[in-house]
Amino acid sequence: MSVEVMNPDVAQDVWKDIGQHVDFVVLQLKRTNLAQEQAAIQEFADRSQAIIRSMNIRAEDAGLKVAIGFSNAAWDYLFPTAPKPKELETFTTIAGDEAEYTMPATAGDIFLHIRAANEAVVYEVVTQFMRFLKDVTTVLDETKGFRYFEGRAIIGFIDGTEAPAIADAAEYAIIGVEDPEYINGSYAFAQKWIHDMNFWQAMKTEEQEKAVGREKFTDLELADDDK
């Protein structure tokens, strides 16, 4: 008997390129009618795949990538009798020494991560998805992203230098034989960083470099004593 192994080529694609345009949408189930919401989610799960296939035909060069996730609480509510992914859990707040360094836990049941080379494609996919989700969910958050100059973050530094290469990242990002029920799936951990851009832009480049730990123009890492 053969054992299926993790295959990056068919796995949920949440771990490769960031895309040119992206939309992150967090939805909360209304929890007013379980049967109705289960039926809506079942239809969405089916129709979403057809929407993705159609869009890949309509805009074949857009490189559309879609990931759909359910929270631990949503899983318990929608799929109470289904086996749960082994590491799916509810995030709890991590408190820092100061309030500004605290990572708060926020609500959310369904997470949509949609990216493509064309913003129109991202917009159309979200719009079509919401036709099947709007009656049973409330939008808690929607965050749009775009690729900044030279792949830099909005603070002006190259982003992702220390991220592992694609070939190495798959091992950490994709579920393998340790949870065969959900092999080739993944987990989403959504974070939103708030930057005080007025404060940041008022800093001298040398101060910014010490905070980030890299030279702003060349992206070379600074010596530990200079960080």
Side-chain angles (χ1 to χ4, degrees):
M1 182 178 67
S2 62
V3 177
E4 184 180 10
V5 296
M6 183 262 286
N7 181 356
D9 292 329
V10 299
Q12 180 166 261
D13 188 352
V14 294
W15 53 284
K16 296 179 184 175
D17 63 282
I18 59 173
Q20 295 291 325
H21 300 273
V22 65
D23 202 1
F24 303 96
V25 184
V26 179
L27 307 170
Q28 187 166 43
L29 292 161
K30 292 184 177 180
R31 287 179 167 79
T32 56
N33 186 318
L34 175 58
Q36 179 186 359
E37 291 168 18
Q38 287 176 323
I41 295 302
Q42 184 174 5
E43 181 178 15
F44 165 70
D46 179 50
R47 297 293 290 273
S48 65
Q49 302 310 300
I51 292 170
I52 294 169
R53 290 193 297 270
S54 174
M55 189 56 65
N56 280 325
I57 294 173
R58 296 172 61 190
E60 59 182 344
D61 297 327
L64 173 65
K65 298 290 189 298
V66 177
I68 302 167
F70 293 92
S71 72
N72 185 44
W75 194 283
D76 290 340
Y77 177 68
L78 292 170
F79 325 119
T81 62
K84 185 186 296 187
K86 291 182 178 179
E87 295 184 44
L88 183 61
E89 60 183 43
T90 299
F91 176 75
T92 56
T93 295
I94 299 176
D97 294 333
E98 300 178 34
E100 61 187 301
Y101 301 125
T102 294
M103 298 176 64
T106 54
D109 289 316
I110 301 173
F111 179 61
L112 306 177
H113 177 189
I114 302 166
R115 66 190 195 272
N118 187 326
E119 170 62 19
V121 171
V122 175
Y123 171 82
E124 182 67 12
V125 170
V126 173
T127 299
Q128 291 196 31
F129 278 6
M130 290 307 297
R131 291 178 63 177
F132 301 97
L133 293 170
K134 63 182 177 62
D135 291 337
V136 296
T137 63
T138 300
V139 178
L140 295 183
D141 185 76
E142 181 178 15
T143 301
K144 288 186 173 292
F146 59 93
R147 188 171 179 83
Y148 199 50
F149 298 113
E150 302 176 313
R152 296 177 184 270
I154 201 71
I155 60 173
F157 284 77
I158 299 292
D159 193 23
T161 300
E162 293 299 327
I166 289 176
D168 299 321
E171 180 180 350
Y172 298 94
I174 300 172
I175 298 172
V177 294
E178 72 279 1
D179 192 0
E181 191 84 30
Y182 295 101
I183 199 163
N184 291 320
S186 190
Y187 296 95
F189 183 79
Q191 301 180 69
K192 179 182 286 189
W193 294 80
I194 300 175
H195 297 296
D196 184 342
M197 294 303 293
N198 290 329
F199 173 80
W200 180 254
Q201 290 169 349
M203 294 175 65
K204 294 181 178 179
T205 298
E206 292 78 8
E207 293 176 304
Q208 292 181 353
E209 290 177 336
K210 289 180 180 180
V212 173
R214 291 185 171 275
E215 293 181 3
K216 193 169 187 178
F217 179 72
T218 66
D219 194 41
L220 286 173
E221 185 175 5
L222 300 181
D224 288 343
D225 291 342
D226 294 330
K227 296 178 182 178

